[in-house]
Amino acid sequence: AACTFEDMPARIPATGTLLSNASRYATLQRAFSDKLREWHWQRNEGTNYQVWNPPGVVFSRQRMDHHSIGRNRPSWEDWGFEARVASLHLVLGALNGRWATRMSRQRQDEQWIVAEGDDARLFNMFVRAMNAFELDPQEPDQGFPNLRLLHTNERTAPKFFDPGFLRSVHVHLPWPARDTRPRREALITPAFIEDTCEALELQGELHLVTDDETMMEEACGILTKSRLFAPCIAFPFHSKGVPASYPAASLLPRDVATVRAGSSGVTHTMAEMSATKLYYSLWERTPPQVPNFRFRG
């Protein structure tokens, strides 16, 4: 298979030399682990979030289902982009990091924020971004030009943004409900849909990608009942397979298979990963529906 920039080691701009994969990875791992340990200590002291910018990483409290939701969030000026562009996208679920990295590199006139609650997946995303943008892991003053990484529960990520702030939200591999302890609601719930709708601009897009058709059907049902979004795909409002019109669609089967293999411990060949069955749905935020009133004149 052809090697892409996401898989290639980065040339260090400060020195003009090429670190070995092992030494560069170890340096990035040490830097990320130090910041993660620092965040764990700050969290235990009662801090709600910690900003590591540059390069552009925000550590935030993970919301557990049995905990109340805090209203504290970092100021956009502390962690966002100096100049905001019209197309600001939120990606929920880093997967293996390839898709979001490709988007931020190919669409440099747009801005991307990746929210991921799993620190291992966030680290993979961090490494790929550092390599893709050719940043020196030993140089602390360099940052991602159009990418931010948000370490938080994906369910609360839309609350980090003011109303109408986002152009699109991409939900990759949303988790299902869990009945065993600790119990957990599915990611796609009426409350999540309301939060996402508020963060999106009018006619903003909500993209869903999953390998579970039952979950997709349930998500489409919740979206239909919400009356906040209009489907862009005919009934049953989702398609089998990610359409070619979706950016970097070819990367998603491999990323999803890699994530599933990591959680199950089962290894797959490249052909098996590329054949992963996915389901896709696209929705558009609609104008608010005002109920009918009778006016007395």
Side-chain angles (χ1 to χ4, degrees):
C3 183
T4 61
F5 58 80
E6 295 100 326
D7 301 312
M8 295 174 62
R11 184 164 55 86
I12 305 305
T15 61
T17 61
L18 189 67
L19 287 178
S20 68
N21 287 341
S23 60
R24 179 176 176 81
Y25 183 87
T27 302
L28 292 172
Q29 186 179 47
R30 182 166 57 252
F32 186 88
S33 298
D34 288 346
K35 287 296 181 179
L36 186 61
R37 283 195 297 268
E38 181 181 342
W39 158 240
H40 288 165
W41 184 85
Q42 293 285 354
R43 182 190 61 190
N44 293 336
E45 293 296 312
T47 304
N48 291 307
Y49 59 86
Q50 177 174 295
V51 178
W52 180 20
N53 190 25
V57 183
V58 179
F59 297 97
S60 176
R61 286 181 174 272
Q62 301 286 320
R63 174 203 166 191
M64 303 300 290
D65 289 349
H66 55 281
H67 290 168
S68 61
I69 306 174
R71 296 184 178 273
N72 296 314
R73 65 176 182 179
S75 170
W76 176 256
E77 289 74 19
D78 292 339
W79 68 281
F81 306 101
E82 293 184 4
R84 180 190 164 199
V85 301
S87 297
L88 181 62
H89 310 279
L90 174 63
V91 182
L92 302 183
L95 299 179
N96 205 35
R98 293 185 181 90
W99 189 89
T101 303
R102 176 74 63 84
M103 290 299 96
S104 61
R105 287 288 291 169
Q106 288 189 345
R107 301 187 175 187
Q108 298 191 27
D109 57 338
E110 302 176 2
Q111 294 169 338
W112 299 83
I113 299 172
V114 180
E116 176 57 63
D118 185 272
D119 51 25
R121 296 178 191 171
L122 188 77
F123 171 68
N124 288 336
M125 179 72 229
F126 169 74
V127 172
R128 291 189 181 279
M130 291 291 289
N131 289 342
F133 288 106
E134 299 186 345
L135 300 185
D136 186 349
Q138 299 174 328
E139 177 53 60
D141 296 329
Q142 296 179 325
F144 308 130
N146 67 331
L147 176 68
R148 293 293 183 268
L149 306 183
L150 182 57
H151 183 39
T152 189
N153 190 303
E154 291 94 317
R155 180 179 295 139
T156 60
K159 293 186 176 183
F160 277 73
F161 306 95
D162 292 332
F165 211 69
L166 301 174
R167 178 68 186 90
S168 70
V169 175
H170 301 256
V171 185
H172 291 165
L173 210 62
W175 64 72
R178 182 174 59 203
D179 295 330
T180 58
R181 293 181 178 272
R183 297 182 183 278
R184 178 186 65 185
E185 289 184 327
L187 174 60
I188 309 298
T189 62
F192 172 81
I193 295 302
E194 291 180 4
D195 293 338
T196 301
C197 177
E198 184 176 3
L200 281 169
E201 64 183 34
L202 189 61
Q203 296 182 331
E205 296 176 343
L206 173 61
H207 303 260
L208 304 177
V209 178
T210 181
D211 59 349
D212 188 333
E213 188 173 16
T214 300
M215 184 191 306
M216 179 63 80
E217 292 172 349
E218 294 174 353
C220 290
I222 294 173
L223 281 159
T224 302
K225 291 180 181 179
S226 73
R227 304 181 68 181
L228 299 173
F229 290 86
C232 299
I233 299 176
F235 185 84
F237 310 135
H238 68 273
S239 63
K240 294 183 178 180
V242 182
S245 59
Y246 191 71
S250 61
L251 295 179
L252 289 174
R254 180 182 172 189
D255 270 11
V256 170
T258 301
V259 171
R260 293 302 193 199
S263 59
S264 65
V266 179
T267 58
H268 300 279
T269 64
M270 188 68 67
E272 290 174 335
M273 289 191 292
S274 300
T276 301
K277 292 183 179 180
L278 296 179
Y279 302 90
Y280 171 79
S281 186
L282 171 60
W283 298 74
E284 183 180 275
R285 183 191 171 185
T286 57
Q289 297 184 8
V290 180
N292 295 328
F293 290 93
R294 289 186 178 182
F295 297 92
R296 296 180 179 179

